[in-house]
Amino acid sequence: MPPRLHYTQPATTWNEALPLGNGHLGGMVHGGRSEETIDLNESTLWSGFPREDVQYEARRSLKKVRGLLAEGQFATAQELIERNMLGKTPEAYQPLGTLKITRKSEASTEPYQRTLDLDSAVFTVQQGGGHREAFISHKDRVLAYHWTVEEGAPSDFWIALDTPHPHTLQAEKSGLLLKGQLPSRVVDNWMQDHPEPVLYEEGLGLQFCCLLEVQTDGESILSTPGGLLVKSARSITVLLTAVSNFQGWNTMPVWDDPEPEARCRSILQDALQHSWASLKERHIADHQELFGRVKLDLHVQESRDPLPTDLRLQDYKNGAEDPELEALYFQYGRYLLIACSRAGGQAANLQGLWNPHVMPPWFSDYTLNINTQMNYWMAEACNLSECHTPLFDLLEDLSQSGQRTAHIHYGTRGWTVHHNTDLWRMTTPTSGNASWAFWPMGGAWLSRHLWEHYLYTLDRDFLQQKALPVIAGASRFLLDWLTEQPDGTLGTCPSSSPENLFLDAQGNRCAVSSTTTMDLGILKDVLGFTLQACEILGLEQELQQDIRETLPRLPEFRTGSRGQVLEWEQEFEEAEPGHRHLSHLYGLFPADLFDAPLKEASKITLSERMQHGSGHTGWSAAWAANLFARLQDGHQAYAMLHKLLKNSTLPNLLDDHPPFQIDGNFGGTSAIAEMLLQSHGEVLHLLPALPENWPSGSVQGLKARGGITVNLRWEKGQLVAAELEASRPITLPVRYGHTLKDLTWTAGQKIQLDFAVLQVNA
C-alpha cells in the first residue's frame, strides 16, 4: 500500500491539518465534515524590505574584545559584544490567508476518512458517497480543489477568501481577487510589551495578489459580500494561485505593482486549459518523478496501516512497536522536502513552507546554527538533489549580501552570515544574547551543502560555476578571521558554541571565548574542501597556497579529563550539561574529520549529554540520531529516532519542538538514511547502523557519494543482497561489517552482490 496519513475525523487544530505544497504555494488542509479550511502560504511573503542593518561600531570594539578574552575576562568581553557588536532581529515569514469552502447542508453522520497519499501528494476526504480531492501542482502553479457531493439533491456552496493583513477582496464573474499588504516590520514581542509589534506602512513592504476561479455544474455563481455562492451544484472545482511583488533581496518592492495580478491571471488561464483529470495527472507525474525514486519496506507480519495515523501514533507513544510507522516517517520527510523546496522557490525555512502566524515563533526564519542545515541533510542521500537547489540560490544571495557585513563588521575579505537570515538575506548578527547572536560561522557551515552536492553528483560544471565562487568566498572570510593564539596556532576570537554557555572562574554564565571546537571543525572542513575543489578545477592558485599554509597551523581537536570532546578551548564547567545543541561534534557529523580516538571521545560526549536529558527537542533528538548512526551505533540511533517520534511528533506527524518546526522531520529522515547507508571517507558502508528493531527489510534508491544508487535487502539482521548502480565511472571500496570489496563501475553499470555468499567466503 502506498505510504499515507489517514484519519477518521476532521482536523480540529492546525497541528492536525495536512500539508500540501509545490515549493511556492503551501496549504494546510483541515478536512471538515461540511466545510473545508485551507490555511495558505506563499514562499515570498515576508515582512520588511531591503534595509541597512550593518553595525558600523562593531570593528571599533573587536580589538578590545580580543584583548579581554586573552586576559580571561569572558563576561566583560561578552558584555562589550552585546553592547556594540550585535544588530537587529530578522524579518518574519507571513501567512497568506485562508480559503474556506462551506457546503450548505445538514451535517453528515456518514463514515468519514481524510487521507494524504504521499505517493501522489493528493489529499482526499471520503464521506458517505461524497468525495473531495486537493493538491498543489508544481507543474501548473495552482492549488486545485474538487468537491463532488453524494447521490441526491445538489447543494449550495459558499466560497470565502480571507487574510489577516490589510486587504481588498473583489468578487468576479466566477472568481475572487484578493490583494493584500504585508507588514513593513514585525518585532520580537516575547515579553508582550511592545505597543505595535506588527507595523504596516503605506508604500513600504511587500504586497501580494491571490486569485481563485470556480468551475461548477451548478445553476449559478453569485457574488456576495466576502465571497461567492454557488447554487445547486453536484460538484465544484476551485483553482487558486498567489504571487507577491518580491523582485529580489536587494530590490525595493514596487508599490501597487500590477505584475502580481497579471501573473496570477496568466497562471490560472493556463491551468484552466486543462481538465481536472489532466491537472491531477500532470501533478502526480511531476511529484512521482521525485518521490518514487526511493522505497523503504521494514517488513512486518501484520500491518498497522489500517489504523488511523493519530491512533497509531498514540499506540507508538504507549509502547507499541511499529516499524511501518518509522518507514512512513522517513517517506514523510521526503514528501515534505518535495512540497516545500522546489527549483525557483525559496529554501525551506524553520517551518518549511507552512506558517499560520503573523508573529510566528522565532520569526519562522532561517536559523543557521543547525536548523536550516538539518533541513537539507537528507536531500542528496534520499535522492532529491533537485530539492537542494533553493538552498544553493539562498547561498549565492548570502555570498553577495554577506560581503558587506564581513568588511564593515570585521575588516575581512569574503562573506559571512550569522545566526539568522530571511527573505532579505540578512547577514549581520541578530539582537539578544551573544550565545546565539554572535556567531559569524553560519555561511561557512552552509557552504558544506554545495560541496556535498558535488560529492554526490560529481558535476564539475556545478562545482566551478555555482559552488566555487561561494565556498571560496567563505574560505577567504575564514582565513582573514583567524588570529594568532598565544601558543602560535591560528584560531577564532571571539568565538562561541551556538546557544551554549560555560561557567567562568567567578561562576558567570558566559558564551564567548576563543576557538570553540565547532569553529575548529568548520575551519578544518571548509578550508579542506575548498582546497580540494580548487585543485580539482585547477583554479584559485593564490587561495590554494593560503589554505595550504594555514591548515597545519590550526590546533588539534581537544579532549577533556573524562575523555570527552571539549566544547570550548578550555575544560570549562558546563552551565547546562544536557544542552540541546551538539555543536562540538560537527567534525563527526555532518563533517568527516574525527579519527578513531575522537570517535571514542564522541561516544563519551553523547553518553553524558543524553544522561543529562539532551535530545529533549525534536531536532535535537534527530541530530543525536544522526551522530549515533555515524558512530555505527544502531541501538542508540534507533533510541533517539524513537524518542523523536514518541515525544516530539504531532498528530499530523510534523515535528514538535515544541512548537512546530520542520527540522525534526528532515533530521529524522536523514538519520534513517544514515543508518542504512553511509558513503563518507570514500567508502560505501552498507547497513552500518541497522537496529535490531528492523530485522528484515529492503530499501531502493538511496544515493551514495560518487553518484551511486543503492538497493539493499536484508533478512534476520543480515544483508543478503545489494544492487549498486553508478552514474559515472568510479572505483570505490564497499563495506558490509568486516567484508570489504573494491568495485569498479562504468557509467550506468549495475553491480549485484550476494552478501550471503560473501559472508561465507570471508
Side-chain angles (χ1 to χ4, degrees), residues 441-741:
M441 307 295 283
W445 184 357
L446 277 174
S447 69
R448 153 164 274 281
H449 286 262
L450 293 158
W451 179 242
E452 285 285 8
H453 182 75
Y454 170 73
L455 292 179
Y456 275 90
T457 64
L458 302 181
D459 185 340
R460 286 176 62 99
D461 289 340
F462 170 85
L463 183 64
Q464 181 170 345
Q465 296 167 19
K466 192 85 171 178
L468 186 60
V470 176
I471 64 177
S475 286
R476 287 189 174 93
F477 170 76
L478 294 178
L479 291 168
D480 290 0
W481 182 236
L482 289 167
T483 60
E484 186 168 342
Q485 305 299 297
D487 62 0
T489 62
L490 296 174
T492 55
C493 181
S495 176
S496 63
S497 191
E499 303 194 36
N500 206 355
L501 301 169
F502 61 88
L503 302 180
D504 68 7
Q506 292 74 41
N508 298 306
R509 296 166 64 89
C510 302
V512 182
S513 62
S514 298
T515 320
T516 60
T517 300
M518 186 182 217
D519 277 14
L520 184 57
I522 291 173
L523 285 164
K524 290 175 179 282
D525 188 38
V526 176
L527 293 178
F529 67 64
T530 301
L531 179 59
Q532 290 182 61
C534 293
E535 290 174 340
I536 290 167
L537 298 170
L539 299 173
E540 298 279 8
Q541 299 302 321
E542 184 177 344
L543 179 59
Q544 288 189 45
Q545 186 59 33
D546 288 346
I547 294 175
R548 289 193 190 98
E549 292 173 358
T550 298
L551 283 172
R553 296 190 62 191
L554 297 178
E556 298 299 319
F557 292 109
R558 300 168 288 258
T559 55
S561 59
R562 302 184 303 279
Q564 81 280 19
V565 178
L566 287 187
E567 186 160 2
W568 295 278
E569 59 172 341
Q570 306 173 35
E571 191 166 358
F572 294 115
E573 182 181 350
E574 297 177 68
E576 186 184 339
H579 198 267
R580 62 197 177 278
H581 280 254
L582 298 158
S583 305
H584 45 321
L585 300 185
Y586 172 94
L588 173 64
F589 179 94
D592 179 32
L593 302 172
F594 283 7
D595 58 13
L598 282 167
K599 289 179 180 177
E600 291 300 314
S602 298
K603 293 177 184 178
I604 296 171
T605 299
L606 283 168
S607 175
E608 291 184 349
R609 277 288 167 89
M610 299 307 126
Q611 288 172 16
H612 287 92
S614 187
H616 50 282
T617 67
W619 59 263
S620 181
W623 194 354
N626 281 276
L627 289 162
F628 280 119
R630 182 60 64 91
L631 290 169
Q632 301 190 2
D633 186 339
H635 175 75
Q636 288 295 339
Y638 179 83
M640 297 312 299
L641 179 68
H642 185 273
K643 186 175 184 178
L644 169 63
L645 267 162
K646 180 180 179 182
N647 298 341
S648 301
T649 301
L650 295 164
N652 56 10
L653 298 190
L654 291 178
D655 170 53
D656 192 17
H657 173 79
F660 161 58
Q661 285 185 193
I662 205 164
D663 38 31
N665 290 98
F666 293 142
T669 294
S670 169
I672 293 172
E674 193 78 7
M675 292 160 76
L676 299 175
L677 177 69
Q678 295 175 23
S679 59
H680 54 280
E682 298 185 345
V683 177
L684 266 66
H685 302 262
L686 308 181
L687 302 184
L690 183 71
E692 294 179 357
N693 306 73
W694 303 338
S696 298
S698 63
V699 66
Q700 301 174 37
L702 289 181
K703 297 289 285 191
R705 294 171 182 87
I708 298 171
T709 304
V710 178
N711 301 334
L712 304 173
R713 181 168 59 86
W714 64 96
E715 297 174 2
K716 298 179 180 180
Q718 298 294 316
L719 181 64
V720 295
E723 181 181 83
L724 313 169
E725 181 179 1
S727 61
R728 297 169 183 264
I730 193 171
T731 298
L732 278 178
V734 177
R735 179 184 293 276
Y736 170 63
H738 298 297
T739 302
L740 185 68
K741 187 176 182 64

